[in-house]
Amino acid sequence: MAVPIRLILETLEKEVFDTRTFDPATSDREIRFCMADIGEMYFLPRILRFAETVAPNMTFRVLSLTPDRLEAALANGEVDLAMGYFPDLSKDNFFQQQLGTSSFVCIARAGNPHVGKRLTAKRYFDAPHIAAHTALRSMEVFDRSLLASGAEQPRVKLRVPHFIALLGIVAQSDLIATVPLEAAHAVTHASNIRIHRLPFPSPVFALRQHWHRRYHHDPVNKWLRESMQGLFHDLLSERGLARF
C-alpha cells in the first residue's frame, strides 16, 4: 500500500496544495533533458536561442541514459523531459506528446564516386557504408523496415558508437551513411557533405517529448513542455525532406 498512498499524497500536494509560481524570466533553475547526440545537434541550438530572451538565467544539462535508467530518472526528477524517439516510455506512469515525424536520408561527401550524379538503389547497396550503433532507437526502425522489404543489406565497412564521429568520417572519406532526417538538418551548412533521398521508400517514425505523471502539474515542467511544443510543432516531416 505504501507506493499508491505515496503517489496519492504527492498528487494532492502538487495539484491542490502547491501554490508556487514560476517565472522563467527570473528563474535560475537547471533544466535536464535526455536526448541522443543527434537530438543535441538538432534541438539544443533552437532551445538556447529561445532561452536567451525568455529564460536568460536558466542553465541546461543533457543526459544520455539507457531505457531502464531513463524511466527511473524521469520518475525521481533527475530528468525533466526526454525528447526524441523513446518507444520504451509507454507505461501508464508516462505522458507523451508528439512533436512531429522524421524519416531517413543518405549523406555522403561532395564528389563521392559511389554516389555519382544520382543515388540509385544499385549505387546505394554497392557503396561502402558507415553505421552508428548507439542507444538511438530510431535506427532500429530503419533496420526493421529494410529487413521486412526483403532488400539486401548495406555493405557496412565501419561501425562507430556515435553519430558525431560518423558525420566527421563521412566528410573525409568515400563511405556513405543512412541517418535520421534530424541529423541531415544538423549538417545542412557543411560545405562538403551532400544529402540525398534514399532510392527506396523511407520508413517514418514519431518524435515525442516524454515526462512522468508525477510532474504533470509541476509549473516548471508544464512551462517546459508548452515551450518545446511551441518551438518544435513543425518538426521535420516530409516538408523538411522536400528541400533535399
Side-chain angles (χ1 to χ4, degrees), residues 203-222:
V204 175
F205 60 97
L207 292 173
R208 298 183 170 96
Q209 57 178 349
H210 304 259
W211 64 97
H212 197 275
R213 69 165 55 247
R214 184 173 294 171
Y215 300 96
H216 185 61
H217 295 282
D218 176 80
V220 178
N221 198 284
K222 185 178 180 181

Side-chain angles (χ1 to χ4, degrees), residues 24 27-33 44 47-48 51 55-62 80 220 223-224:
S27 174
D28 59 358
R29 164 77 181 269
E30 178 182 75
I31 299 296
R32 295 176 293 271
F33 294 103
L44 290 180
I47 291 173
L48 291 176
N57 298 317
M58 277 189 169
T59 59
F60 301 88
R61 178 178 299 187
V62 177
D80 297 298
V220 178
W223 170 83
L224 180 62

Side-chain angles (χ1 to χ4, degrees), residues 96-101 205-209 229 232-233 235:
Q96 57 180 262
Q97 182 180 38
Q98 183 166 321
L99 298 173
T101 58
F205 60 97
L207 292 173
R208 298 183 170 96
Q209 57 178 349
Q229 174 67 11
F232 299 106
H233 68 279
L235 185 65

Side-chain angles (χ1 to χ4, degrees), residues 42-43 46 83-86 96-103 138 181-182 203-210 228-240:
Y42 182 79
F43 291 117
R46 194 184 297 191
M83 295 177 65
Y85 180 72
F86 294 96
Q96 57 180 262
Q97 182 180 38
Q98 183 166 321
L99 298 173
T101 58
S102 184
S103 55
S138 59
L181 188 56
E182 57 268 34
V204 175
F205 60 97
L207 292 173
R208 298 183 170 96
Q209 57 178 349
H210 304 259
M228 296 305 100
Q229 174 67 11
L231 282 176
F232 299 106
H233 68 279
D234 59 346
L235 185 65
L236 302 172
S237 77
E238 285 300 314
R239 295 193 302 275

Side-chain angles (χ1 to χ4, degrees), residues 89-192:
L89 294 177
S90 57
K91 297 179 181 178
D92 291 341
N93 282 335
F94 297 98
F95 288 97
Q96 57 180 262
Q97 182 180 38
Q98 183 166 321
L99 298 173
T101 58
S102 184
S103 55
F104 299 89
V105 293
C106 179
I107 60 173
R109 73 167 179 85
N112 187 314
H114 299 289
V115 174
K117 293 182 178 179
R118 184 174 66 88
L119 183 64
T120 63
K122 182 177 185 338
R123 286 172 176 160
Y124 177 87
F125 289 107
D126 285 348
H129 287 244
I130 177 174
H133 284 253
T134 73
L136 182 68
R137 300 291 302 278
S138 59
M139 292 310 301
E140 295 178 7
V141 176
F142 178 78
D143 293 339
R144 288 196 302 266
S145 174
L146 205 60
L147 187 64
S149 71
E152 60 182 299
Q153 296 300 303
R155 185 164 61 91
V156 179
K157 189 177 183 66
L158 176 63
R159 301 179 190 274
V160 296
H162 303 291
F163 269 92
I164 292 177
L166 178 150
L167 298 175
I169 292 170
V170 164
Q172 302 177 64
S173 72
D174 288 339
L175 302 181
I176 70 172
T178 303
V179 298
L181 188 56
E182 57 268 34
H185 276 259
V187 298
T188 51
H189 300 298
S191 59
N192 59 336

